[in-house]
Amino acid sequence: MTQSHARAAKSIDEVIGRMRAIEARLDPADGVACFNRMYLRVVELTGRQLAAGSFQDRAFTEGLEVFLAHQYVDAVDAADGGRPVNEAWQPLFEARGDRAVRPIQFAFAGMSAHLSHDLPLALVATCIERRTTPDTPPVHADHLRAAELLEQAEAEARASFGAELTAPDARAAESLRHLVGSFSVARALDAAWATTQTLWHERNLRPFHDATLAAVTGGAVLAARLLVTPVLPPVEPPAESPVLPPVEPPADED
């Protein structure tokens, strides 16, 4: 994994500071900025719940969140430095300047990569670092608590981007609703947990682990590319279809 100067971040507060700095310097219309706003909201919610004692294992949860954030920040640093971005993040970064892609698409494409690819890796790495397992309490219970915060952020994002789903062209809006409806935080989290279990049991079986990870990465790329598909108003048919002359039957040959 590419190392970045953000590796110095050791706490969720430092991560929030880094993400706010990213937000401050990006054009609000930048596709990465659209995701950053949604993800920043998730991290802020998590930070508040950590401070309130809502997680049973604060150290594990904070370590997980810091590891997760580093994977995203590494992608930002790589793009800024002209280096290759992690494959799972490429669809978002490649489309970030396409104004035919709506902000909600960017937000969900980034969240899809974050959950389907980065989260399982972060869970396994944090379990190894903390000398625990995904099945050891309260890892799964805290995962479910974090899921509630992610679903809250998803609902807020859908509400804040509501105008995009209704205007200005009704048919384009309908296409956009179908497209973003293909993404669900709840389904992504279920899949991420299943992937975590698989990667955990394969962690010492490198060929199987690498094959699983390759499949997961490929699926993450496919989902993100789908989510950043431009949704343009459909081409209007002509007011009157041209009347074509009838096809004359071939003349009988003598």
Side-chain angles (χ1 to χ4, degrees), residues 81-105:
R83 301 188 303 277
V85 173
N86 183 288
E87 187 178 357
W89 287 95
Q90 285 175 8
L92 172 63
F93 280 81
E94 290 172 359
R96 65 190 297 181
D98 189 341
R99 296 300 174 257
V101 180
R102 314 301 169 89
I104 191 172
Q105 294 177 253

Side-chain angles (χ1 to χ4, degrees), residues 8-17 43 58 62-63 65-66 70:
K10 299 297 184 183
S11 70
I12 200 164
D13 288 338
E14 292 176 6
V15 168
I16 290 171
V43 179
R58 172 176 178 142
E62 185 161 22
E65 290 299 322
V66 170
H70 283 159

Side-chain angles (χ1 to χ4, degrees), residues 29-55:
D30 186 308
V32 174
C34 296
F35 165 70
N36 195 84
R37 286 193 293 273
M38 182 177 178
Y39 186 28
L40 175 58
R41 175 61 174 158
V42 171
V43 179
E44 288 174 337
L45 286 170
T46 304
R48 291 173 192 169
Q49 293 303 311
L50 279 170
S54 298
F55 292 95

Side-chain angles (χ1 to χ4, degrees), residues 35 38 42 104-117 150-151 153-155 157-158 176-189 191 220 223-224 226-228:
F35 165 70
M38 182 177 178
V42 171
I104 191 172
Q105 294 177 253
F106 289 126
F108 285 177
M111 192 56 67
S112 178
H114 173 72
L115 296 180
S116 62
H117 179 269
L150 282 157
E151 290 179 39
E154 178 190 20
R158 290 187 188 275
L176 182 59
R177 281 193 292 272
H178 282 295
L179 186 60
V180 300
S182 67
F183 174 73
S184 163
V185 160
R187 290 196 299 269
L189 285 166
L226 169 68
L227 285 164
V228 294

